[in-house]
Amino acid sequence: MNIKIKRFNSEQDIDEIVDYDIKDNKTILESLIEVKIKYDESLAFRCGCRTGICGSCSLRVNGVEKLACKSKLNENDLIEPIKNTKVIKDLIVDLEHESKLLKKSNTFLNKLEETTISKEDEKLIDTQSNCILCQSCFSSCPIYEVNDKFLGPYALTRALRYVDDKKESQKVQTLEKIQDNGVWDCTLCGNCTMVCPQFIDPKTDIMNLRMKSVQNGFEDRSMQYMTGAGFAGGFDTGFDPTGGFNPNGF
């Protein structure tokens, strides 16, 4: 079976797609390990738990974000690093932005509210708490092409996790942090939802955050689309009042 891997090494001036012949019936991660052992020990990629929990082996397969340890290899699959971040070597990318985005979006417990937590309260934040920060949604998001300050899907999903957390007493502060380059900059295309290996729905999470923002007195900036104002980053939504493009996807 043939596998194509995007190789990159700035020190050796390598930026090319290389073909390798490997055994079939393997996951992509197992195939990468075989290539490293059999053909080129310099091949660089990340992996950890090998069970789809750590999220470190995320990459793109034929242009779609996947976890290498959970995806079966098909003939002539093209393996590339995730997008929207700097490639360090081969399939390894710089993840420095991760902590910065989470800090900017205030996605942590700011002040504990002493209260009783029920099973229903736990279920309310259970799905969002399952985010493994694999960066798949970050890579699939088209907003970064026009606005590199966008907080992004996983940061906003985590923001909802704390806004809905009964233990958090400063929910408005978190909502305030995600108004600029956040919930109103998303086009609700749904790419993030389609590639999430944890079956989280960041698109719906962002819609919920918009609703909660308005309920807490923040401006409903979605109306800017209706006036042709576009959104931060200079992207033109192309709104047509006679029935053209609807940025909300409805």
Side-chain angles (χ1 to χ4, degrees):
M1 181 174 287
N2 181 265
I3 183 175
K4 302 177 185 296
I5 304 176
K6 179 70 180 294
R7 303 295 303 270
F8 174 80
N9 189 328
S10 59
E11 294 180 357
Q12 299 180 9
D13 194 26
I14 296 175
D15 188 2
E16 60 183 354
I17 295 175
V18 183
D19 289 63
Y20 300 96
D21 289 321
I22 62 170
K23 297 178 181 178
D24 57 6
N25 297 321
K26 288 191 172 186
T27 65
I28 290 173
L29 179 56
E30 291 170 334
S31 301
L32 293 175
I33 293 173
E34 181 180 341
V35 170
K36 189 175 182 68
I37 294 174
K38 185 176 180 180
Y39 292 105
D40 189 349
E41 63 181 13
S42 71
L43 176 65
F45 54 90
R46 283 192 176 103
C47 64
C49 67
R50 304 189 186 188
T51 58
I53 296 175
C54 73
S56 61
C57 66
S58 61
L59 39 70
R60 287 189 298 147
V61 183
N62 302 323
V64 179
E65 288 73 16
K66 295 179 180 293
L67 294 183
C69 67
K70 301 289 285 185
S71 304
K72 286 291 185 180
L73 180 72
N74 295 307
E75 182 71 29
N76 293 319
D77 273 347
L78 172 60
I79 312 302
E80 299 175 281
I82 59 174
K83 298 190 301 180
N84 296 324
T85 189
K86 178 183 177 182
V87 178
I88 298 175
K89 182 182 178 184
D90 296 334
L91 303 175
I92 295 180
V93 299
D94 186 357
L95 298 178
E96 184 180 357
H97 65 274
E98 181 180 293
S99 59
K100 291 181 178 179
L101 291 175
L102 294 177
K103 185 176 181 179
K104 284 182 179 179
S105 57
N106 215 47
T107 50
F108 44 83
L109 190 64
N110 292 275
K111 186 175 181 180
L112 178 63
E113 176 75 24
E114 296 292 345
T115 184
T116 301
I117 304 299
S118 67
K119 289 293 183 181
E120 288 69 26
D121 295 327
E122 292 178 2
K123 290 180 181 179
L124 191 60
I125 62 174
D126 185 59
T127 298
Q128 289 72 29
S129 298
N130 288 332
C131 174
I132 58 176
L133 295 175
C134 68
Q135 311 294 315
S136 293
C137 61
F138 178 86
S139 173
S140 71
C141 181
I143 303 300
Y144 290 104
E145 295 181 10
V146 293
N147 182 7
D148 59 5
K149 294 181 174 60
F150 182 50
L151 292 174
Y154 67 78
L156 294 173
T157 278
R158 185 155 292 200
L160 181 64
R161 179 250 183 271
Y162 286 100
V163 168
D164 282 344
D165 193 337
K166 194 175 179 180
K167 301 186 300 295
E168 174 60 73
S169 64
Q170 297 184 350
K171 305 177 190 296
V172 176
Q173 284 84 338
T174 297
L175 288 172
E176 183 179 13
K177 290 286 188 178
I178 61 174
Q179 297 305 299
D180 296 329
N181 299 308
V183 290
W184 306 109
D185 294 72
C186 175
T187 61
L188 304 179
C189 67
N191 285 2
C192 50
T193 297
M194 290 187 286
V195 300
C196 179
Q198 295 295 89
F199 305 104
I200 301 171
D201 186 357
K203 174 183 174 180
T204 298
D205 291 346
I206 292 170
M207 293 173 67
N208 286 337
L209 285 169
R210 288 184 176 187
M211 176 188 66
K212 292 176 184 295
S213 294
V214 174
Q215 289 174 342
N216 283 273
F218 293 97
E219 178 187 2
D220 185 349
R221 300 185 189 179
S222 62
M223 295 304 296
Q224 293 177 3
Y225 297 118
M226 303 299 290
T227 60
F231 69 85
F235 183 84
D236 183 3
T237 61
F239 174 75
D240 179 359
T242 63
F245 174 61
N246 180 352
N248 292 322
F250 302 138

